[in-house]
Amino acid sequence: MRQSSAVRWIVFLVIGVLLAALLSVMLGSVSIPFKEILSIFKGKVDSGSTLPAVQGKFSSIVFDLRIPRTLLVLLVGAALATSGGAYQGLFQNPLADPYLIGVASGAGLGSIVAMTIQWPQDLLGYFAVPISAFIGSILAVLLVYSLSKVGKTVHNTTLILAGVAVSSLSNALTSFLLINAGGELRRAIVWMMGGSTLVGWKPVIASAPFILLGIALLCSMGYPLNVLQFGDEEAQQMGVPVKKVRILIILAASLTTAAAVAFCGTIAFVGLVVPHILRRLVGNDHRLLLPLSALGGAIFLTISDILARTLLAPQEIPVGVITILFGAPFFLFILRKTKRKIW
Amino acid sequence: MLHVETLSVTMNQKAILSGISFELHKGKILGLIGPNGAGKTTLIRAINGSVDIEQGKIVFKKQDLTALNVQEHARFIATVPQNRIIPAGFTVRQIVLMGRTPYLNWFGRSTKEDEQIAEQAMRRTDTLSLADVTADELSGGEQQRVILARAFAQNTPLLLLDEPTTHLDIRFQMEFLDLLFEHVREEKMSVIIAMHDLNQAMRFCDEVLLLSQGKIYASGKPQDVLTEKKLSTVYQYPIKIKYNHGDTPVYIYPKF
């Protein structure tokens, strides 16, 4: 991949992100035309002017609902796709996405634990959820990793099997906690299906630092991840401190996943589908692949979220359902194709 | 300049190597021979730090190699391993450039000089014309030359190879060995190469170590070590040698 075409890909996807974000602010149970949005922004800038009543209503929809939601969805999509790409590279396994290897379910269990102790109300409560999710995800990934490690090598099949087992276990524990959750049950179930019932700016503020930090860390590890594709022993011979790199990637990817899961629940397949499509388009250089995955994941989830809000409006479909509707057929397609080419 | 002293390796309470001592001088090629399970691969992995040594010293130019960190270590030793791994989705150029890893920063930013060294390594291994091809699409012989180019790009004084020609056909074997030895002779690299083919060992190596059950059975010049008696004992199979003009061995073969 040459430098110039790498830049072209990034520019292309950044434009995609901006367009998706704009659509996401415009569309929903109430559509707001582009002109209105422009004038709302203008009105916000020169705050001296008095706005007509209807614009005031749109203004609150845009600033208190649409924009924070769009930002959250962009962040979560980027988080899931980047960590998915990193996990696939780390385990050299095309099926390793945060859900299949149990990280996301561990994070889900962690967040539910935090939510059942106290449903978040203030900002501090909101921060407790991603932190608890992070602990859950780290425990899950360590468990899966140690289960699938035989001697010095990690067996790919065992990795997926262990991931499925740990996932099921955490999901069962999550359900158990939900049954005891009482009044918050409905909110928690919607959360589990991948719909954010938490509106407003607080979830954005609580998850953004973790997600941005995690993505930045992961993107900085593209090169060691490339060398790691030769296996641990050879990578070490080429001068890569393998253990350190592995731990850093696991920590960063789990942090990113956990912060995403904490507020958006179970959104499967983003971490699988997006890096896969990009691998086919740009190759396996993780220095380019991971940033592109972040952008591509943001686009994919934002579009899914727009569909989730508009398909059955005013009824809202959990976005996790939409991503599975897209993702599952693609997943099957990959399973059939995986014997050839990129892996 | 490489000193290995009383090296021992134990795995699962079983002694794999015991009391291995030898010296390798600059620009010399040392062949490791011996039957399966004699410890050739383990010796290579012990010298390059992939397995922990229980006892002994590995000193290179007065530098204790076991005391180096991973990056420093990779500037001394490059390895061409037994099982070739070619990850998908990388071009030959990208893979050969990864040989420069011990000289690059965390982000793998390569300089013009690194790119020139990689290019030179590709020229040396006859892979330059394949530079922009995806390496996993190449034939086994070409891939093995790409791995050799990567090791050359690492620019180390010591090169280890573990049966590098095992899965190649006879033409690729000879091409590989010719390219390898032309380069290392020119650059005065020291080489340790594990080999199964006794004739190749006799032809290419300055010295050989004949390993048997984790110990050195014999060492020295090929014609002194590769004798009918020693080989037949170690391989536990009658082995014959055809001589030219009385004393130069030309062909080693199992008795039919």
Side-chain angles (χ1 to χ4, degrees), chain A residues 66-105:
Chain A
R66 295 273 171 87
I67 290 182
R69 170 145 185 174
T70 302
L71 286 178
L72 186 64
V73 168
L74 287 172
L75 284 169
V76 167
L80 292 174
T82 315
S83 49
Y87 280 127
Q88 287 158 16
L90 182 68
F91 297 119
Q92 285 133 53
N93 188 324
L95 302 180
D97 100 318
Y99 287 88
L100 273 174
I101 61 173
V103 187
S105 311

Side-chain angles (χ1 to χ4, degrees), chain B residues 215-238:
Chain B
K215 294 190 178 103
I216 296 178
Y217 184 84
S219 66
K221 295 208 176 325
Q223 62 265 36
D224 299 329
V225 176
L226 301 167
T227 64
E228 286 182 354
K229 200 176 154 221
K230 284 176 184 148
L231 291 176
S232 301
T233 311
V234 167
Y235 283 91
Q236 297 177 357
Y237 195 89

Side-chain angles (χ1 to χ4, degrees), chain A residues 12-18 20 74 294-304:
Chain A
F12 182 63
L13 288 186
V14 166
I15 292 171
V17 168
L18 294 175
L74 287 172
L295 296 170
I299 296 173
F300 179 73
L301 196 61
T302 306
I303 291 172
S304 301

Side-chain angles (χ1 to χ4, degrees), chain B residues 137-191:
Chain B
E137 290 165 11
L138 300 176
S139 73
E142 291 165 333
Q143 288 182 350
Q144 193 67 345
R145 292 208 305 267
V146 171
I147 297 298
L148 184 66
R150 194 192 71 198
F152 284 170
Q154 217 169 315
N155 207 9
T156 55
L158 183 59
L159 178 64
L160 310 180
L161 304 101
D162 191 0
E163 292 173 23
T165 57
T166 300
H167 299 293
L168 307 184
D169 72 29
I170 196 143
R171 176 195 133 204
F172 277 124
Q173 285 196 14
M174 293 319 289
E175 276 181 5
F176 183 90
L177 292 172
D178 285 337
L179 290 167
L180 166 68
F181 291 120
E182 193 188 301
H183 181 77
V184 299
R185 296 263 183 229
E186 221 163 277
E187 301 289 322
K188 293 208 168 18
M189 292 169 83
S190 307
V191 176

Side-chain angles (χ1 to χ4, degrees), chain A residues 85-148:
Chain A
Y87 280 127
Q88 287 158 16
L90 182 68
F91 297 119
Q92 285 133 53
N93 188 324
L95 302 180
D97 100 318
Y99 287 88
L100 273 174
I101 61 173
V103 187
S105 311
L109 179 59
S111 3
I112 280 287
V113 168
M115 287 178 190
T116 47
I117 291 169
Q118 192 182 24
W119 190 264
Q121 270 136 17
D122 53 357
L123 201 55
L124 202 67
Y126 274 91
F127 272 113
V129 181
I131 288 168
S132 173
F134 180 51
I135 296 169
S137 65
I138 288 289
L139 290 178
V141 77
L142 288 182
L143 187 60
V144 169
Y145 189 63
S146 58
L147 282 174
S148 52

Side-chain angles (χ1 to χ4, degrees), chain A residues 1-3 152 217 219-221 223-227 229-231 233-242 244-245 248 282-287 341-343, chain B residues 45 48-50 70-71 73-74 77 79 81 83 85-91 94-95 97-99 101-102 104-109 132 136-137 147 150 154:
Chain A
M1 177 88 358
R2 297 192 180 281
Q3 205 95 26
K152 272 193 170 179
L217 277 172
C219 288
S220 80
M221 280 178 267
Y223 185 72
L225 206 47
N226 282 352
V227 183
Q229 301 310 301
F230 284 95
E233 195 167 315
E234 271 188 67
Q236 180 127 342
Q237 292 310 313
M238 285 188 261
V240 170
V242 172
K244 195 169 111 188
V245 170
L248 273 174
V282 303
N284 269 348
D285 187 342
H286 292 83
R287 286 174 292 183
K341 280 284 169 180
I342 218 77
W343 284 95
Chain B
R45 293 175 70 222
N48 75 18
S50 295
V70 174
Q71 192 177 31
H73 194 273
I77 299 183
T79 306
N83 298 315
I85 302 168
I86 299 282
F90 288 101
T91 64
Q94 284 176 320
I95 288 178
L97 251 179
M98 283 190 216
T101 303
L104 305 180
N105 64 14
W106 180 259
F107 302 102
R109 199 176 178 83
D132 296 310
D136 53 309
E137 290 165 11
I147 297 298
R150 194 192 71 198
Q154 217 169 315

